[in-house]
Amino acid sequence: VFRPPEAGVVAITTDTLIEEVDFHRRWTHPSLLGRKAVAICVSDLAAMGAQPCASLLALALPRDLTGGFFRDFMRGFLAEAACWGAPLTGGDLSRSSCVSITVTAWGSITEGAPVYRNGARADDLVFLAGEVGLARLGLDLLLSEDPPLAELADSPESLEAWAAQPERSRCLTAHLLPRPLVQVGRWLQREALANAMIDVSDGLAADLGRLAEESGLTAELDLSVVPRPFAPWAASREAVERALLDGGEDFALLFTASPTQAQRLRTLWPAEFPECRAVGRMLAGEPAVFLIKEGRASEYRPGGFDHFR
Amino acid sequence: VFRPPEAGVVAITTDTLIEEVDFHRRWTHPSLLGRKAVAICVSDLAAMGAQPCASLLALALPRDLTGGFFRDFMRGFLAEAACWGAPLTGGDLSRSSCVSITVTAWGSITEGAPVYRNGARADDLVFLAGEVGLARLGLDLLLSEDPPLAELADSPESLEAWAAQPERSRCLTAHLLPRPLVQVGRWLQREALANAMIDVSDGLAADLGRLAEESGLTAELDLSVVPRPFAPWAASREAVERALLDGGEDFALLFTASPTQAQRLRTLWPAEFPECRAVGRMLAGEPAVFLIKEGRASEYRPGGFDHFR
């Protein structure tokens, strides 16, 4: 039971992580998994500009995982929930053949309107706050090296030690322990500097496609201005480009702003925030995403994560 | 995003159904499963006296179930959600090896306090509104006859036709399509006639144990006054008694009321509500449940559903 804010609205979100689909037990320590389950939900709130308030957890576990796994998972979950001001207030525990984690979180917006996905306007610029592609490249590392990380790394420090190199560590951390951009989302909402916003969970192009679809506009994306992570283990230049375009789960924020808003944004952007750059624009036209490459536009064909494709 | 009621509080609940643990696809039509997933969440709201407002659905499906199963499930879900005034407002869809359904629902209490589990007082009477044991006896029917119900029965009418006898039909319907007692819960909260309340989801004795535990009291339960369903297929008189005591999922409401409240309750109880009867009382003492049988009290040893016992 909660007493809602006296003014304004409540934003609420739910997200599921399924073993062998969304994560692998071999590669993630239960406490990092607990943290990530909270983080991805909190990121959804951030993308609306909401201040996290509280969370619920519906956890289904195989019978043999109810001891240490459960304790470690909850330790991470509670620490992360406390970190974002979204304490656990209830939930459901059940048995299953594989680990299934559903987190519900809600947050408040007491002044001004929430930022929706459908608010983009023609001639808005598209901005990206934070980096993309890192999490996918981190997953590539795990896929190729298959380390028993769950036993080795239960913190950013131990991950870093295992990774051995800063660029490996950055990508692994992005995959295993993403940081939702709550302050950035809150700030954009308060300052009314974003017309539409989404967190990049399924891939930069796919999520831009959602803004385009819901706003009834065409989007252009210029990948040449998106920072390319240094990932010497990537198979090719194309693999890095695919990670940028289709790699999800970095939880960067993608938003649109009018040219006037964009000017204010550039003046006011707080120095302590992650970098923010214009990566495209919205145009009147059928919902679609066009990639700009060497001055030419080609329509993007989906490659982002879709559970059922 | 929702605008909360201007006064009062919001009650929120989440509940998971896992294939092969909480249900079997062979025995339930996807549309009944969709209905039940909503109903059990709404029942949690009813047990606090909240008026359902809206719902979220996190659904994980095996790849081969995304066509007809999904359509039928959603048809049932949306119909049931509409029926209780808890329309679907969002959610998450993902892939998994077994069907996993997590519903989150919330409701409002705009006047008076919610009814918690910890509000029982010494000398309160324990009341049961609705029946118990039916759902367990319905499950017993399915276990013993193993009918391919999913193909036969997608409505109360077709269930009834399959069941052939009214007592079989009642038990099957209780198991496959439980009806949460929303009006009853709302009325008890509005009239301030319940000090503590819970819906009987895990078993009469187990859930009474929760009221006792959370209220810091001893509970006495007199099973002789609880109506015994007529179930000629039950293995024995003891099997029926176990269904009464430990069979969950009937979603009857169990609540406590002081002798003064009890008197008002008996006077005011609306004729259209399911029957309500005093089945025990709360006493000062260590949290425990005692069963009264032929004038003697014996401490209840748990047999209700516990996912991890």
Side-chain angles (χ1 to χ4, degrees), chain B:
Chain B
V1 171
F2 67 101
R3 188 169 296 278
E6 287 192 13
V9 297
V10 175
I12 180 162
T13 183
T14 192
D15 214 14
T16 297
L17 293 177
I18 302 271
E19 183 177 358
E20 302 298 314
V21 176
D22 300 297
F23 67 92
H24 299 268
R25 260 196 269 156
R26 176 173 168 82
W27 293 337
T28 185
H29 192 276
S31 94
L32 296 185
L33 186 62
R35 282 189 169 273
K36 183 167 177 174
V38 174
I40 61 181
C41 242
V42 162
S43 178
D44 277 332
L45 298 179
M48 305 203 78
Q51 177 66 46
C53 294
S55 58
L56 296 173
L57 168 64
L59 182 63
L61 292 178
R63 203 180 276 275
D64 62 315
L65 280 191
T66 51
F69 182 95
F70 177 72
R71 264 193 312 277
D72 287 342
F73 178 89
M74 290 311 300
R75 182 163 49 81
F77 187 101
L78 295 172
E80 187 77 10
C83 155
W84 300 113
L88 183 64
T89 55
D92 183 39
L93 198 55
S94 78
R95 186 163 56 79
S96 70
S97 54
C98 67
V99 180
S100 160
I101 306 158
T102 299
V103 180
T104 300
W106 60 98
S108 63
I109 296 160
T110 51
E111 272 178 60
V115 189
Y116 292 100
R117 295 177 178 178
N118 65 2
R121 295 173 209 166
D123 301 322
D124 273 5
L125 294 171
V126 175
F127 286 91
L128 178 68
E131 285 187 89
V132 294
L134 298 175
R136 169 66 66 92
L137 292 164
L139 177 59
D140 285 351
L141 252 184
L142 296 177
L143 284 164
S144 66
E145 301 188 6
D146 190 25
L149 263 190
E151 286 150 37
L152 303 170
D154 68 344
S155 70
E157 293 71 31
S158 46
L159 262 181
E160 198 178 313
W162 179 82
Q165 291 158 10
E167 59 270 21
R168 287 165 56 95
S169 171
R170 280 183 74 220
C171 290
L172 276 175
T173 304
H175 175 66
L176 294 172
L177 189 56
R179 301 291 76 203
L181 300 180
V182 175
Q183 280 77 17
V184 178
R186 291 285 297 124
W187 182 81
L188 287 166
Q189 186 273 335
R190 269 199 318 270
E191 300 287 335
L193 287 174
N195 287 332
M197 186 151 56
I198 192 169
D199 62 327
V200 183
S201 56
D202 291 341
L204 183 57
D207 289 320
L208 180 56
R210 292 210 173 99
L211 291 186
E213 180 75 35
E214 299 214 17
S215 300
L217 295 171
T218 299
E220 276 184 5
L221 176 63
D222 182 355
L223 216 55
S224 70
V225 296
V226 178
R228 269 172 173 56
F230 178 61
W233 63 90
S236 63
R237 204 186 130 78
E238 285 67 39
V240 174
E241 191 151 303
R242 270 202 306 279
L244 284 189
L245 203 57
D246 296 332
E249 297 224 309
D250 285 291
F251 303 103
L253 288 176
L254 188 67
F255 62 97
T256 82
S258 70
T260 318
Q261 286 171 312
Q263 207 163 11
R264 280 193 66 214
L265 194 71
R266 286 172 170 131
T267 315
L268 299 176
W269 191 257
E272 70 272 22
F273 280 3
E275 220 173 320
C276 178
R277 55 188 83 212
V279 297
R281 56 181 183 146
M282 307 300 286
L283 303 165
E286 290 298 299
V289 174
F290 284 87
L291 301 179
I292 310 297
K293 230 174 175 174
E294 291 151 15
R296 287 198 310 201
S298 60
E299 187 168 354
Y300 165 75
R301 288 203 200 81
F305 189 69
D306 178 333
H307 276 285
F308 295 107
R309 201 177 42 237

Side-chain angles (χ1 to χ4, degrees), chain A residues 18-260:
Chain A
I18 303 270
E19 183 178 357
E20 301 299 314
V21 176
D22 300 295
F23 66 91
H24 299 268
R25 261 196 269 156
R26 177 174 167 80
W27 293 336
T28 184
H29 191 275
S31 93
L32 296 184
L33 186 61
R35 284 188 168 272
K36 182 168 177 174
V38 174
I40 62 182
C41 243
V42 162
S43 177
D44 277 332
L45 299 179
M48 305 203 78
Q51 177 66 45
C53 294
S55 58
L56 295 174
L57 168 64
L59 182 62
L61 293 178
R63 204 181 275 276
D64 62 316
L65 279 192
T66 52
F69 182 94
F70 177 71
R71 265 194 310 280
D72 287 343
F73 178 88
M74 289 311 300
R75 183 161 48 83
F77 188 101
L78 295 173
E80 188 77 10
C83 155
W84 301 114
L88 182 65
T89 55
D92 183 38
L93 197 56
S94 78
R95 187 162 55 79
S96 71
S97 55
C98 66
V99 181
S100 161
I101 306 158
T102 300
V103 181
T104 300
W106 60 97
S108 63
I109 296 161
T110 51
E111 274 178 59
V115 188
Y116 293 99
R117 294 176 180 180
N118 65 2
R121 296 174 207 163
D123 301 321
D124 273 4
L125 294 171
V126 175
F127 285 91
L128 177 68
E131 286 186 88
V132 294
L134 298 175
R136 167 66 65 93
L137 292 164
L139 177 59
D140 286 349
L141 252 184
L142 295 177
L143 285 165
S144 65
E145 302 187 5
D146 191 23
L149 262 190
E151 287 150 37
L152 302 171
D154 68 344
S155 69
E157 293 72 30
S158 46
L159 262 181
E160 198 178 314
W162 179 81
Q165 292 159 9
E167 61 270 20
R168 287 164 57 97
S169 171
R170 280 182 74 219
C171 290
L172 275 177
T173 304
H175 176 64
L176 294 172
L177 188 57
R179 302 293 75 203
L181 300 181
V182 176
Q183 280 77 17
V184 177
R186 291 285 296 125
W187 183 82
L188 287 166
Q189 186 274 335
R190 270 200 317 270
E191 300 287 335
L193 288 174
N195 286 332
M197 183 152 57
I198 192 169
D199 63 327
V200 182
S201 56
D202 292 341
L204 182 59
D207 289 319
L208 181 57
R210 293 209 172 99
L211 291 186
E213 181 75 36
E214 299 214 16
S215 299
L217 295 171
T218 299
E220 274 183 5
L221 175 63
D222 182 355
L223 215 56
S224 70
V225 296
V226 178
R228 271 172 172 58
F230 178 60
W233 63 90
S236 62
R237 204 185 130 81
E238 285 67 39
V240 174
E241 191 151 304
R242 270 201 307 280
L244 284 188
L245 203 58
D246 296 332
E249 297 226 306
D250 286 292
F251 303 103
L253 288 176
L254 189 67
F255 62 97
T256 81
S258 71
T260 317

